[in-house]
Amino acid sequence: YSTGETPSQQLAPVIPYLQKQHNVSKWYLIGHDYNWPRETNALAKEYIKSAGGELVGEEYVPMSAADFDSSLQRIKASGADGVLITLVGGGSVSFNIAYASFGLDEQAIRIGTLIEENTLAGIGAANASGLYATAGYFKDLTTPLATAFKQNYEQAFGTDSATLNTLGQSAYQGLKLLATLANK
């Protein structure tokens, strides 16, 4: 069983949209070196190709990576006008701050499949120009299901708890699924 959105749900509609809306044709993929980024990027390459885009670079960095200068130089040299980020946590924050300070936000838009409210707070608004995120839930989403989730969460845990985000929403769904399966 899987809860939360899948890479296909996140990228199949988004890559063609970004290519059309922002005239993106050359993509660079950067992620941490483990199965989730590699599997996500394998699908992304299919969506890029089917939408008429071109892959101009792909790299995977250790989870401990904190210095992205050489990666940023490769992205700049590649001529990419779109960058798919499959970095997590502090690595994503460090990369995106460096990306903006390197001036790459003027060359290429960025899309992250794991950039949620807490990561964005770490990146900061000043470093988020041309940064997009794709997720199944955002705290300010006003659909009936999202509103009900937020109300139920705040009723159970209060309004001073951690910022709701797609990770918390998926974990909540997972626990509800587990409880339902256990009760059956």
Side-chain angles (χ1 to χ4, degrees):
Y1 296 96
S2 176
T3 60
E5 59 276 3
T6 65
S8 292
Q9 291 169 317
Q10 289 179 292
L11 296 176
V14 172
I15 287 174
Y17 172 83
L18 291 174
Q19 285 190 194
K20 182 178 180 181
Q21 292 298 313
H22 296 281
N23 203 26
V24 175
S25 62
K26 297 178 181 177
W27 288 89
Y28 196 100
L29 314 179
I30 184 166
H32 278 120
D33 193 7
Y34 72 104
N35 64 330
W36 171 72
R38 289 182 178 276
E39 291 175 14
T40 298
N41 289 347
L43 289 170
K45 288 187 269 191
E46 293 176 23
Y47 303 135
I48 290 166
K49 183 179 179 182
S50 68
E54 172 188 1
L55 183 67
V56 295
E58 177 178 13
E59 70 176 281
Y60 299 93
V61 299
M63 293 292 285
S64 60
D67 179 355
F68 292 96
D69 287 355
S70 58
S71 298
L72 296 169
Q73 290 171 359
R74 284 189 289 276
I75 293 169
K76 184 172 185 79
S78 75
D81 48 21
V83 177
L84 174 61
I85 304 164
T86 50
L87 301 166
V88 299
S92 179
V93 170
S94 296
F95 173 82
N96 281 288
I97 291 171
Y99 189 96
S101 69
F102 206 75
L104 278 171
D105 54 341
E106 296 174 19
Q107 175 182 325
I109 63 164
R110 297 165 277 171
I111 179 73
T113 58
L114 197 54
I115 295 177
E116 38 63 55
E117 288 84 351
N118 293 312
T119 303
L120 186 57
I123 294 166
N127 300 308
S129 177
L131 175 60
Y132 294 85
T134 177
Y137 177 83
F138 292 98
K139 72 177 178 95
D140 293 329
L141 193 60
T142 58
T143 65
L145 286 174
T147 301
F149 169 67
K150 182 177 180 179
Q151 288 171 346
N152 290 339
Y153 183 90
E154 289 177 350
Q155 182 178 9
F157 303 107
T159 57
D160 293 335
S161 57
T163 299
L164 287 174
N165 61 45
T166 193
L167 301 173
Q169 185 265 346
S170 294
Y172 178 82
Q173 280 183 328
L175 290 173
K176 295 293 274 183
L177 174 63
L178 179 62
T180 300
L181 292 172
N183 288 330
K184 294 245 179 214

